[in-house]
Amino acid sequence: LRRTPVEPGTEGESESEGVSESESESENDPLPENDQPTIPYGEKPSWEILREIHDTALVDPERAESMCDDVEKTETKDSCLLDLAQISKDKSNCNQINNDNDKDGCFASVAELSKDSSICADIDYTDLRDSCYMDFILNGDYALCDKIVTDYYQNACKILRS
């Protein structure tokens, strides 16, 4: 649904046919920056909501975070928070994710993108946490081998160190 703004001082008709007076925006209400009316998230498919918020996050991360907060469906909100975390490289968005697996994946992704191995410690799932550390170990940070707990990755560290 796209509406064309009416020039100030003119009495124009909406170019969208079939839109009742109550559905159309009043002349005093400004249109969003992209000249498209905001459609409630409940009426949009998840992919469209996520794309809209992603595009906003690229230019205004704070506004995108607010938009993410307005998403009601848990799975869509988690995906939105993951995307925000990756764009902003901010692990605080990961902390808000409900699904534990997605939250751990978010921490791993932000650690890699921000090149900050300390974020790996926030991952609950042991194998994924060790895998996160291994990404840094493979780039020469062998001190992280001491944080590895699984046998497979410990053995890999021993081999890499020698």
Side-chain angles (χ1 to χ4, degrees):
L1 181 66
R2 183 167 178 83
R3 295 187 185 97
T4 305
V6 177
E7 291 295 321
T10 63
E11 299 275 338
E13 293 181 9
S14 172
E15 291 187 17
S16 302
E17 293 187 15
V19 177
S20 71
E21 190 70 33
S22 63
E23 291 177 34
S24 66
E25 297 177 359
S26 76
E27 208 171 299
N28 296 332
D29 291 340
L31 288 171
E33 291 176 19
N34 63 1
D35 288 343
Q36 292 186 2
T38 303
I39 298 172
Y41 287 142
E43 297 175 21
K44 290 183 178 180
S46 295
W47 65 266
E48 192 172 336
I49 295 167
L50 293 172
R51 187 190 71 216
E52 180 181 323
I53 297 173
H54 173 85
D55 291 346
T56 301
L58 295 173
V59 293
D60 188 353
E62 289 177 9
R63 181 169 179 245
E65 189 169 345
S66 174
M67 292 168 73
C68 228
D69 289 340
D70 292 339
V71 175
E72 292 179 11
K73 188 175 176 187
T74 303
E75 295 84 7
T76 305
K77 188 173 201 159
D78 283 356
S79 294
C80 184
L81 291 165
L82 170 62
D83 191 47
L84 278 176
Q86 291 172 332
I87 290 170
S88 65
K89 300 175 187 167
D90 181 359
K91 74 175 188 173
S92 67
N93 292 302
C94 299
N95 287 320
Q96 298 175 53
I97 294 175
N98 288 301
N99 180 290
D100 290 337
N101 291 333
D102 292 343
K103 184 182 293 189
D104 281 350
C106 182
F107 286 128
S109 180
V110 172
E112 180 183 355
L113 291 168
S114 64
K115 298 180 183 356
D116 182 356
S117 64
S118 69
I119 297 173
C120 297
D122 293 316
I123 300 171
D124 288 330
Y125 182 60
T126 305
D127 284 345
L128 183 58
R129 183 177 54 243
D130 285 354
S131 174
C132 181
Y133 284 130
M134 282 303 292
D135 288 339
F136 294 94
I137 292 166
L138 290 170
N139 286 314
D141 191 353
Y142 299 117
L144 293 173
C145 286
D146 296 336
K147 296 182 182 281
I148 300 291
V149 294
T150 55
D151 291 339
Y152 174 79
Y153 289 118
Q154 282 180 344
N155 290 335
C157 266
K158 287 177 189 173
I159 293 168
L160 288 170
R161 279 183 165 169
S162 54

